[in-house]
Amino acid sequence: MTSEDPSATALPATTSLANRYGSQKRAFGGKTKRNVLIAVLLVVVALLFWVTTSSSQSSVSFKDIGYSATDATQLAVDFQVTKNPDATAKCAVKAMDSGFGVVGWKVVQIGPNDPKDGADGGRTTAQRTILRTESAAVSAVVDNCWIVDSNK
């Protein structure tokens, strides 16, 4: 025969767990689920719009080829520009002294190319520009290139 203690009554498991860990979390209501779904859809549409418009914009790249000093105040800078043949680009070219100080700066405009030129359909063109300097330069590089907006 077993003796039971009347003061030790067994609690249901769910009540015992709720006392120990807290009550069960409520599930999202229908309105909250709908609002979250709408927010996620808006973010996805905005992301798709951004990807579509950013990839359709023309890009430009450049490669430094070399430079040669014609005298203490001039450099001839050679570089290549790769862009859409129909686009117009501008490139900033700079000359630097031995302390990496800028002693010459010029923005060069590269107009549309003939698509029949070159092996890549006219995308890459060789450029040479004469850059005037304040003092003797020991290097010259293309600092940056960008596509000029044809609507401006």
Side-chain angles (χ1 to χ4, degrees), residues 38-52:
I38 289 171
V40 167
L41 285 175
L42 287 174
V43 168
V44 168
V45 167
L47 182 64
L48 287 174
F49 177 76
W50 177 73
V51 167
T52 303

Side-chain angles (χ1 to χ4, degrees), residues 5-112:
D5 184 7
S7 64
T9 59
L11 294 173
T14 57
T15 305
S16 175
L17 290 175
N19 287 338
R20 181 175 289 180
Y21 300 110
S23 61
Q24 291 183 346
K25 304 293 182 216
R26 290 186 4 211
F28 287 127
K31 195 172 191 178
T32 304
K33 286 181 184 177
R34 187 187 74 218
N35 289 340
V36 168
L37 181 64
I38 289 171
V40 167
L41 285 175
L42 287 174
V43 168
V44 168
V45 167
L47 182 64
L48 287 174
F49 177 76
W50 177 73
V51 167
T52 303
T53 58
S54 67
S55 66
S56 68
Q57 294 175 352
S58 297
S59 64
V60 62
S61 63
F62 57 90
K63 179 180 178 182
D64 294 318
I65 302 298
Y67 66 94
S68 59
T70 54
D71 61 30
T73 61
Q74 279 190 352
L75 285 177
V77 182
D78 297 313
F79 58 100
Q80 289 180 337
V81 176
T82 303
K83 62 178 182 57
N84 184 331
D86 298 332
T88 299
K90 288 189 176 182
C91 293
V93 182
K94 68 179 178 180
M96 296 175 287
D97 62 11
S98 60
F100 299 106
V102 176
V103 294
W105 181 269
K106 184 177 185 180
V107 175
V108 180
Q109 182 163 326
I110 297 104

Side-chain angles (χ1 to χ4, degrees), residues 78-152:
D78 297 313
F79 58 100
Q80 289 180 337
V81 176
T82 303
K83 62 178 182 57
N84 184 331
D86 298 332
T88 299
K90 288 189 176 182
C91 293
V93 182
K94 68 179 178 180
M96 296 175 287
D97 62 11
S98 60
F100 299 106
V102 176
V103 294
W105 181 269
K106 184 177 185 180
V107 175
V108 180
Q109 182 163 326
I110 297 104
N113 311 340
D114 186 358
K116 296 175 186 170
D117 291 344
D120 63 351
R123 293 185 54 80
T124 302
T125 58
Q127 301 292 319
R128 172 173 272 194
T129 188
I130 302 299
L131 189 61
R132 296 186 58 86
T133 60
E134 297 172 354
S135 61
V138 296
S139 71
V141 296
V142 176
D143 188 60
N144 195 10
C145 289
W146 61 94
I147 297 295
V148 178
D149 188 6
S150 60
N151 295 332
K152 290 183 180 179

